[in-house]
Amino acid sequence: MYLDHFGLSEAPFRNRPHDGFFFAGARRGATLDALLYALATRQGIVKLIGEAGSGKTTLCRMIMERLPAPGSIIHLADPALSREETLRSIADKQAPGGDGNSGNRPSVVLIDEAHAVTSETLEGIWRLAKQEASGHEPLQLALFGQPELNDHLARPERRQFMEGTSHTFILEPLMIGEVADYLDLGLRCAGYRGPPAFSASAIKALAEASHGVIGRINTLADQALVAACSRNAHRVTRRDVFAAIRESGVAPGKRSHAGVRRTVTGFSAAAAVLASTLVALSAKSGSEITAPPAPAEGSAKGAPARSLSTLPAPQSQDAAPRREPGAEPAMPAKLGAQTRARIEATRQWLANVGDDRWFLQLLASDARNAQGIEDFVSEAIHQY
């Protein structure tokens, strides 16, 4: 166990809700405040949408703890209950001596995993809420579910829920910076007092593999701490995250919301390698490389073809020495070992490839960002 190794009093990353570890970042705190206000002021049905593991149940528990409701709060956590069982559960908590506040009539019903609740059960709850509306304490409904809940509620038999919904809140996946804050919060709440335990490259790999979903972050972070402890290290690296991915069976993802900023950064870093590739290509052959003909539709007829040699050369802030034709381009000395190896491999490949290949430079990056480029290349090698 890694608790003693990292000086922790309890496990920092769990797969069950923990009220003491509530993460208010990524708009979770603002969403909780908005939910509490909507329920306290009885603004109709409210709906919270989020992927599995995004933190819906945690917010539900926080509402139960903080809502200043005048009546009782009923939490329906089992979507497998039948219509009769669900309505009986509500009735039991309405009765004096039930789970409500001093036997008062219930005012708030929190329906967890609402996307899995049957149409008959939702219809029964809706009818009960309408009946209660004629009494002294009308029911206030809150639905917590995965994105398919919206599709379910769009069906004709559930139209009344859509019409009665006043607010819909969405839990977005965490971005890379938010993942870093989340990891730090979990560790600090668990008693950690040292420097940041996860390296920047480890956080990036974890954010991408988890897709920014808190449940997956918990699983991978826990396993990564185990991996770091097993090698007697006090700092989690990208290597430990990859070990956690293999252990947990979570496949790294590229199209996650959390990977958007990472992908942009990665492309910018990789562009330095692309730029070196193009420089090597231009040095490889003394012949002019002409661009392919422009499409006939929507293009100017008779426009002269442009070649790489006729395009203006990009200018950097630091003037580079002029390179003689046919000479190998100088490789920046600050580049990391793996970056330099990939550039050299590219040059060797270009020395043998035929002149019938086309290469397109999409982006460019300042080679002074040597560490960022090295991190990207290293991570790409591990993944592919």
Side-chain angles (χ1 to χ4, degrees), residues 148-160:
E148 53 264 36
L149 175 61
N150 287 328
D151 297 330
H152 296 339
L153 296 183
R155 298 174 183 174
E157 65 269 22
R158 298 184 179 181
R159 185 178 57 204
Q160 66 271 20

Side-chain angles (χ1 to χ4, degrees), residues 176 199-211 220 237-242 245-246 251-256 258-267 269-270 273 337-339 342 370-384:
I176 291 177
S199 69
S201 59
I203 293 171
K204 292 177 182 178
L206 195 153
E208 188 168 272
S210 67
H211 294 236
L220 293 177
T237 66
R238 182 178 57 251
R239 168 186 172 184
D240 300 315
V241 174
F242 288 145
I245 292 171
R246 292 191 297 269
K254 279 292 185 182
R255 293 179 294 177
S256 66
V260 171
R261 294 178 189 170
R262 173 66 186 92
T263 302
V264 172
T265 303
F267 275 131
V273 180
Q338 297 196 72
T339 304
R342 297 314 306 163
Q371 187 57 53
I373 297 172
E374 181 74 1
D375 287 345
F376 172 76
V377 172
S378 178
E379 183 172 340
I381 290 172
H382 278 85
Q383 290 189 9
Y384 303 107

Side-chain angles (χ1 to χ4, degrees), residues 263-345:
T263 302
V264 172
T265 303
F267 275 131
S268 298
V273 180
L274 290 175
S276 297
T277 298
L278 288 172
V279 171
L281 176 62
S282 64
K284 170 184 177 292
S285 173
S287 60
E288 182 181 55
I289 303 175
T290 305
E297 181 180 355
S299 62
K301 295 183 179 180
R306 302 185 70 191
S307 67
L308 290 180
S309 61
T310 63
L311 295 176
Q315 300 296 323
S316 63
Q317 293 180 352
D318 298 329
R322 181 178 181 84
R323 180 173 54 85
E324 295 298 327
E328 285 293 333
M331 189 182 300
K334 294 188 300 182
L335 291 178
Q338 297 196 72
T339 304
R340 296 168 65 88
R342 297 314 306 163
I343 294 176
E344 184 58 35

